[in-house]
């Protein structure tokens, strides 16, 4: 069994005060079991002020995580916090490792090496994996996900890409062992009786296009043709283009059905290329079906509440990790923290939880045969119940 402890602080300017607040809330001397690991989410300014180094020295376990647009725990939420979830157990063991700097050429090799180091230290195959990749402008999220599927194909993986509050995510970093990395990824492996339950909500059914289309030409994340016509022609028929382009492509979710027995996955359009193709947040294979969706304030709040409503009875929950897509907060505009406010209000203090906005969401979904299939998502609220 895993127990989860949470703590949160807004002491950006005072590392010692931040560490003192975290220690006071966690009470590690009284609450830690035999094995522990810390999952950290924070505003990047905590890194610049040296808080990570102080926490690393103060806490008797390894800390890993990401910078984020916003996070929440213990009823507090916003962009200027550092939160930590400690997973602690007598019978579940944890092991972790960080890659070196990543590039397209060494991605799979570096990730495989980090995974094998963590697995070797664990002394057994993991039953569950947490993954924290960096958000890198020269490496597509789909490339990370393809490598994750090759490195650990049969194990459920849950995680988030890093992000931050800057316009182009220039301060986005991955955190490990008191240090911050711009181009490295962290694995956390768990071995033992871990039985995570996963919950995924994205676009309400009423906000999805009823007529489905077929992807007829693509290359990796590049969507070229739909229903045997150029993508922009197809979108133009739906009234979504102007002067042969999409003005707000990043706010239009694509619902991709991979025809693998799992539910459709929400995918973002990152840009329209000069050829009129769409560069998407994940792979868009030929013969997958596609439908357009729409997210607004009402549907974001609705799907956030729908996620929580799926959780089983609270007495059967030891902790909840929630990673909603950063695009959801951005689409809320001036009310960017309302989703976190809604969730913290619904959960109250009945169960430990941590919310962390994601630069890309990694979460398994169940197929029709009951098997978990790892997927990458956009625009989505994912949750892992322990």
């Amino acid at each position: 069994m895993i127990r989860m402890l949470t703590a949160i602080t807004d002491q950006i300017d005072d590392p010692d005060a931040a560490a003192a607040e975290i220690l006071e809330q966690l009470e590690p001397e009284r609450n830690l079991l035999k094995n522990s690991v810390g999952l950290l989410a924070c505003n990047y300014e905590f890194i610049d002020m040296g808080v990570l180094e102080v926490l690393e020295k103060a806490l008797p376990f390894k800390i890993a995580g990401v910078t984020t647009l916003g996070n929440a725990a213990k009823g507090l939420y916003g962009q200027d916090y550092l939160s930590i979830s400690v997973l602690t157990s007598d019978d579940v063991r944890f092991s972790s490792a960080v890659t070196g700097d990543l590039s397209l050429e060494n991605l799979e090799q570096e990730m495989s090496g980090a995974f094998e180091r963590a697995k070797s230290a664990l002394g057994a195959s993991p039953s569950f994996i947490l993954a924290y990749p960096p958000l890198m402008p020269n490496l597509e999220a789909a490339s990370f996900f393809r490598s994750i599927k090759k490195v650990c194909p049969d194990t459920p993986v849950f995680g988030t890409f890093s992000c931050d509050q800057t316009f182009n995510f220039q301060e986005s970093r991955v955190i490990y062992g008191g240090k911050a990395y711009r181009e490295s990824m962290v694995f956390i492996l768990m071995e033992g009786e871990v039985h995570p339950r996963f919950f995924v909500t994205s676009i309400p059914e009423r906000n999805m296009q009823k007529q489905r289309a077929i992807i007829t030409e693509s290359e990796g994340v590049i969507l070229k043709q739909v229903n045997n016509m150029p993508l922009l022609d197809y979108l133009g028929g739906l009234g979504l283009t102007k002067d042969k382009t999409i003005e707000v492509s990043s706010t239009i979710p694509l619902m991709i059905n991979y025809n693998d027995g799992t539910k459709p996955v929400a995918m973002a359009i990152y840009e329209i290329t000069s050829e009129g193709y769409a560069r998407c947040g994940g792979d868009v294979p030929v013969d997958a079906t596609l439908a357009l969706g729409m997210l607004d304030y009402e549907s974001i709040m609705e799907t956030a509440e729908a996620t929580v409503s799926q959780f089983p009875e609270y007495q059967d929950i030891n902790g909840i990790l929630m990673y909603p897509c950063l695009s959801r907060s951005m689409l809320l505009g001036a009310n960017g923290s309302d989703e976190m406010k809604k969730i913290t209000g619904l959960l109250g203090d009945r169960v430990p939880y941590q919310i962390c906005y994601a630069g890309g969401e990694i979460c398994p979904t169940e197929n029709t045969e009951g098997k978990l299939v790892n997927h990458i998502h956009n625009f989505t609220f994912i949750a892992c119940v322990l």
Side-chain angles (χ1 to χ4, degrees):
M1 183 192 79
I2 292 177
R3 183 184 180 196
M4 184 164 138
L5 315 171
T6 58
I8 188 167
T9 181
D10 62 356
Q11 298 289 337
I12 291 181
D13 299 327
D14 191 332
D16 292 328
E21 281 196 2
I22 296 297
L23 287 168
E24 182 180 6
Q25 294 172 54
L26 293 178
E27 296 185 87
E29 299 87 355
R30 186 166 73 93
N31 291 321
L32 290 186
L33 302 176
K34 182 179 178 181
N35 309 307
S36 301
V37 66
L39 314 177
L40 187 145
C42 69
N43 182 305
Y44 69 88
E45 293 185 3
F46 280 94
I47 298 169
D48 298 338
M49 296 306 297
V51 175
L52 294 188
E53 292 93 333
V54 176
L55 278 177
E56 176 71 12
K57 293 177 181 177
L59 294 170
F61 46 77
K62 191 65 73 177
I63 299 171
V66 290
T67 57
T68 182
L69 178 69
N71 63 109
K74 300 176 78 72
L76 298 176
Y77 55 87
Q79 292 193 354
D80 299 324
Y81 284 98
L82 177 151
S83 63
I84 185 168
S85 292
V86 180
L87 306 183
T88 188
S89 177
D90 283 330
D91 50 12
V92 174
R93 294 184 298 135
F94 309 99
S95 180
S96 57
V98 62
T99 69
D101 286 351
L102 298 170
S103 66
L104 186 59
E105 292 72 27
N106 73 0
L107 184 60
E108 188 174 333
Q109 179 182 353
E110 280 287 339
M111 289 172 61
S112 178
F115 175 81
E116 290 300 329
R117 289 195 300 274
K119 180 180 175 182
S120 177
L122 199 63
S125 296
S127 51
F128 179 41
I129 299 169
L130 293 172
Y132 297 107
L135 196 60
M136 296 173 60
N138 60 333
L139 265 179
E140 294 170 339
S143 298
F144 281 96
F145 186 66
R146 289 187 210 111
S147 295
I148 289 173
K149 289 199 295 184
K150 290 181 180 179
V151 169
C152 38
D154 302 318
T155 308
V157 180
F158 184 84
T160 170
F161 284 76
S162 60
C163 62
D164 65 74
Q165 295 86 0
T166 63
F167 177 73
N168 58 357
F169 308 115
Q170 65 202 36
E171 299 295 342
S172 172
R173 297 176 231 177
V174 168
I175 294 160
Y176 185 71
K179 297 181 180 180
Y181 301 84
R182 295 183 186 273
E183 299 181 346
S184 297
M185 174 180 167
V186 170
F187 282 109
I188 298 175
L189 278 53
M190 305 183 199
E191 186 273 329
E193 291 299 313
V194 186
H195 303 287
R197 290 158 285 177
F198 303 105
F199 301 86
V200 177
T201 52
S202 53
I203 315 296
E205 186 65 31
R206 69 174 188 281
N207 285 12
M208 292 172 55
Q209 177 191 11
K210 302 304 179 187
Q211 184 178 358
R212 272 39 174 181
I214 305 296
I215 296 174
T216 49
E217 185 179 355
S218 65
E219 184 178 349
V221 300
I222 304 299
L223 178 56
K224 299 180 179 181
Q225 286 196 5
V226 176
N227 289 352
N228 291 311
M229 67 177 71
L231 173 67
L232 291 183
D233 289 349
Y234 171 75
L235 296 176
L238 300 175
L240 293 174
T241 60
K242 181 180 179 181
D243 299 326
K244 287 292 183 178
T245 190
I246 307 175
E247 293 185 337
V248 287
S249 60
S250 62
T251 65
I252 300 176
L254 302 179
M255 299 303 297
I256 307 294
N257 189 333
Y258 290 103
N259 299 315
D260 59 1
T262 61
K263 293 181 179 179
V265 171
M267 199 65 62
I269 298 175
Y270 286 164
E271 69 170 346
I272 299 298
T273 70
S274 59
E275 300 91 349
Y277 304 150
R279 186 171 68 88
C280 301
D283 288 335
V284 282
V286 169
D287 292 332
T289 56
L290 174 153
L292 272 65
M294 188 270 288
L295 267 181
D296 53 16
Y297 184 95
E298 181 181 356
S299 56
I300 290 170
M301 303 303 283
E302 175 186 329
T303 49
E305 184 170 357
T307 306
V308 176
S309 71
Q310 297 177 78
F311 297 160
E313 292 299 319
Y314 289 109
Q315 58 264 30
D316 190 36
I317 296 177
N318 297 309
I320 309 170
L321 298 172
M322 291 170 279
Y323 297 153
C325 182
L326 65 89
S327 62
R328 297 168 67 92
S329 178
M330 291 178 171
L331 288 170
L332 291 175
N335 303 304
S337 292
D338 278 11
E339 184 173 40
M340 290 188 289
K341 179 180 179 181
K342 179 77 170 182
I343 295 300
T344 56
L346 290 169
L347 292 175
D349 58 1
R350 290 170 290 183
V351 60
Y353 64 86
Q354 183 183 32
I355 303 172
C356 168
Y357 273 104
E361 308 85 70
I362 302 170
C363 185
T365 58
E366 196 173 90
N367 65 15
T368 52
E369 298 174 353
K371 180 183 178 181
L372 289 173
V373 180
N374 290 320
H375 278 300
I376 186 171
H377 311 257
N378 301 128
F379 295 103
T380 300
F381 194 118
I382 64 172
C384 173
V385 173
L386 297 168

